[in-house]
Amino acid sequence: MGRFSTGKSVFLNALMGMDILPSDVRPCTAVIGEISHGADWRITLHARDAKLQPVQVKLHELKDYITIPHDSGQKQNAYAKVEIEAPIPVFSNGIRFVDSPGLDDPTSHDEVTTTYLPKADAVVYVMNCASVYSKSDKVMIDELRALGHTSLIFVMTFFDQLEMNDMMYG
């Protein structure tokens, strides 16, 4: 988890070794994405309406279903969660990674992430190197600790931009 556009999905794509999850400079991820090991690729969408049956989609269609519908005028995505089973070795030890919508995004998807938090055994908190440990990061990290989360792993992203700025400005 982390603030919007800090590279959470990009980090998970790098971990998987392929560009699977959508990413953009503006808030993009609209639903919880649970990623686990499977013998074959299997993408299952779960609608917000619990009366509807889960739907299987192809991997190349995934981004069409789990992104924030910026241009449609809708505030919510039709789906609450996507389960991704992947034949990727990093998941073969039983660990399930979760991609979450960013915090503090202007489209107000915070509740999707914060509602999921009690299910987490550990939290990978992603921060952009250019604004590490901002006020909102501090507030959220304090909240995580108050909720009893003691397994917090911090990932700093966009390090390449710091290197580029250093080269440009000395």
Side-chain angles (χ1 to χ4, degrees):
M1 70 180 294
R3 293 185 3 232
F4 74 91
S5 296
T6 55
K8 296 174 299 299
S9 299
V10 173
F11 170 70
L12 285 171
N13 282 338
L15 191 64
M16 292 185 286
M18 19 186 354
D19 187 21
I20 295 167
L21 301 167
S23 61
D24 196 3
V25 293
R26 61 185 180 170
C28 181
T29 304
V31 303
I32 290 292
E34 294 181 350
I35 309 161
S36 61
H37 189 264
D40 296 305
W41 284 98
R42 184 179 175 111
I43 313 294
T44 307
L45 294 166
H46 297 270
R48 286 190 181 282
D49 183 347
K51 294 179 228 162
L52 298 175
Q53 292 294 312
V55 177
Q56 303 288 314
V57 298
K58 304 280 186 211
L59 179 60
H60 70 275
E61 300 172 318
L62 178 62
K63 293 178 183 182
D64 296 335
Y65 292 98
I66 66 170
T67 57
I68 296 170
H70 291 290
D71 301 327
S72 72
Q74 297 176 358
K75 289 204 174 215
Q76 277 190 337
N77 187 293
Y79 298 97
K81 179 174 80 170
V82 61
E83 292 177 337
I84 302 169
E85 293 180 31
I88 297 176
V90 73
F91 302 115
S92 64
N93 60 6
I95 293 176
R96 178 180 303 236
F97 282 87
V98 177
D99 188 28
S100 65
L103 302 170
D104 292 343
D105 85 53
T107 56
S108 301
H109 285 83
D110 289 15
E111 80 283 348
V112 174
T113 300
T114 55
T115 301
Y116 194 86
L117 270 176
K119 298 177 185 176
D121 294 320
V123 175
V124 176
Y125 194 89
V126 179
M127 292 181 268
N128 183 323
C129 278
S131 60
V132 170
Y133 204 58
S134 67
K135 281 185 182 181
S136 59
D137 287 329
K138 182 181 180 341
V139 167
M140 182 46 41
I141 292 165
D142 289 345
E143 281 184 40
L144 289 168
R145 288 183 175 141
L147 289 170
H149 289 283
T150 56
S151 297
L152 299 174
I153 302 159
F154 298 100
V155 172
M156 307 305 156
T157 57
F158 293 98
F159 183 74
D160 55 330
Q161 290 181 357
L162 285 182
E163 288 181 316
M164 186 176 11
N165 285 346
D166 189 46
M167 288 184 335
M168 287 175 34
Y169 299 110

